[in-house]
Amino acid sequence: MEPTDLIWMNGDFVAWEDAKVHVLTHGLHYGTGVFEGVRCYDTELGPAVFRNADHVERLLRSAELYYMPVPYTAEQLRSATLELVARNGLRSCYIRPIIYRGYGQMGLNPLDCNVDVTIACWEWAAYLGEEGKRDGIRAKVSSWRRISPDSLIPHAKASGQYLNSVLAKVESVKAGYQESILLDDHGYVCEGTGENVYIVRDGQIATPGQSNSILDGITRRSLIQIARDLGYTVVERDVARAEMYLADEVFMSGTAAEVVPVVEIDDHRIGAGAPGEITRVLQAAFDDAIHGRSQPYREWLDVVHPRDLEAPGGEAPAAQRITGATG
């Protein structure tokens, strides 16, 4: 990870090396946090955060589901994200906002702990690699099941819940695969460790639905809209494990991974064993959308302007409000 200059913490900009929390922070001990993964792309319009408002909205919904009152509005978090990218001088980057229960109380009742908010950003290539996006990846179905909605809240992007994905990811890597696919508690296909899953058969795209314990991916929503706009039929339904083996194409999507073909699952070759035609079409269309080359989807781009360095309402410029910043 290549450090940037600044991180936004509870309304202030602090130097990367000074962005610290106490070792007794509640979220560190009990996983009481929610977060987002967001990307900024170098587009024809300038640096632009992809679906910034949608990510902020999901972040705040996740916090509400875990009884975490957030001391900032959606617009304040959106603006802070744009200003952070601008202040760090980045053209493209990965953005990680996180809301967590802070230091001050210990025990399983978190309600008296402070709610802290941090936003960081840094340059980060595609999660499964450019080679994976180009040539496809090998995956295995994990022996670990996706968390049940009877136990936790799959629709929230919560920190502690990702231990489930960590177990599946480590299992797949140790077995020689690049990614893992988890089944839900009923044995249907759910999602990857950080991606939604799609199968293509006879020209129709199927993907697990909300009842399959998936995270409602923002990239997923985008791809479904793009696919339907291109005339493809997209069905959200239960997907049986063996359907993946029999599919003509399988692909995955997520903010960090973007759109990735899956060419082998559990040592079964998918289709021709190479990225499929529909996957390639959607990859290209999504790439056009995130880089501002598709006019219909430009509304998804939150452009970083020089004015994002200016504080609203005649307040002091952000540079004068930075804590621990240099230069």
Side-chain angles (χ1 to χ4, degrees):
M1 182 185 298
E2 188 67 29
T4 53
D5 292 333
L6 301 171
I7 291 177
W8 188 92
M9 296 188 73
N10 292 324
D12 292 317
F13 290 89
V14 303
W16 178 284
E17 61 271 17
D18 293 329
K20 300 173 182 177
V21 298
H22 197 279
V23 70
L24 295 179
T25 293
H26 195 276
L28 176 63
H29 290 258
Y30 299 113
T32 46
V34 297
F35 68 96
E36 277 296 319
V38 194
R39 278 197 185 273
C40 174
Y41 293 95
D42 192 359
T43 78
E44 296 180 355
L45 308 173
V49 180
F50 184 66
R51 303 196 73 160
N52 192 12
D54 293 315
H55 280 286
V56 170
E57 179 186 356
R58 187 174 67 179
L59 178 70
L60 293 176
R61 286 204 311 266
S62 293
E64 195 278 331
L65 287 171
Y66 275 98
Y67 306 100
M68 299 170 65
V70 181
Y72 301 98
T73 66
E75 181 55 33
Q76 285 175 317
L77 295 178
R78 173 187 163 271
S79 296
T81 299
L82 297 177
E83 184 174 356
L84 179 68
V85 174
R87 292 208 60 80
N88 281 312
L90 297 171
R91 302 288 301 180
S92 61
C93 60
Y94 181 83
I95 303 162
R96 171 54 58 89
I98 182 167
I99 299 169
Y100 57 95
R101 291 285 185 176
Y103 167 75
Q105 298 288 334
M106 192 57 70
L108 293 176
N109 178 3
L111 298 180
D112 290 332
C113 294
N114 292 333
V115 175
D116 294 326
V117 186
T118 293
I119 308 172
C121 63
W122 64 92
E123 293 183 342
W124 195 18
Y127 179 57
L128 295 172
E130 292 299 326
E131 183 178 337
K133 288 171 60 178
R134 184 186 68 238
D135 301 330
I137 63 166
R138 299 174 63 243
K140 78 180 297 291
V141 174
S142 178
S143 65
W144 300 98
R145 293 290 178 95
R146 177 71 160 116
I147 54 173
S148 165
D150 294 326
S151 302
L152 289 169
I153 310 172
H155 287 76
K157 197 172 176 69
S159 303
Q161 294 176 183
Y162 273 77
L163 280 174
N164 184 214
S165 290
V166 168
L167 287 171
K169 184 72 174 184
V170 170
E171 179 185 49
S172 65
V173 170
K174 282 183 171 290
Y177 299 85
Q178 292 145 297
E179 189 51 292
S180 182
I181 296 172
L182 294 94
L183 306 181
D184 68 16
D185 56 333
H186 297 292
Y188 292 110
V189 175
C190 179
E191 59 187 18
T193 62
E195 310 88 11
N196 293 112
V197 179
Y198 315 76
I199 68 169
V200 179
R201 197 168 187 188
D202 299 326
Q204 185 180 88
I205 303 167
T207 188
Q210 302 293 323
S211 61
N212 295 115
S213 297
I214 66 167
L215 180 71
D216 183 16
I218 291 170
T219 302
R220 175 183 181 272
R221 290 187 225 162
S222 306
L223 270 187
I224 288 174
Q225 181 173 337
I226 289 170
R228 287 173 174 164
D229 289 347
L230 290 172
Y232 295 109
T233 299
V234 182
V235 180
E236 300 177 67
R237 63 168 175 83
D238 292 342
V239 176
R241 176 176 180 168
E243 287 189 84
M244 295 190 295
Y245 308 149
L246 299 172
D248 301 318
E249 305 176 38
V250 176
F251 61 93
M252 309 175 86
S253 77
T255 294
E258 298 174 339
V259 183
V260 181
V262 181
V263 296
E264 189 178 298
I265 301 174
D266 292 341
D267 302 319
H268 293 286
R269 188 179 69 176
I270 307 302
E277 179 183 349
I278 292 176
T279 302
R280 286 299 193 215
V281 168
L282 293 178
Q283 266 189 324
F286 182 72
D287 196 65
D288 285 342
I290 61 180
H291 288 100
R293 296 189 292 266
S294 293
Q295 186 68 39
Y297 307 121
R298 283 191 171 181
E299 65 180 7
W300 289 342
L301 301 176
D302 200 1
V303 179
V304 179
H305 295 290
R307 66 174 178 268
D308 292 317
L309 292 175
E310 302 172 1
E315 299 173 7
Q320 297 178 23
R321 293 183 280 113
I322 294 172
T323 301
T326 58

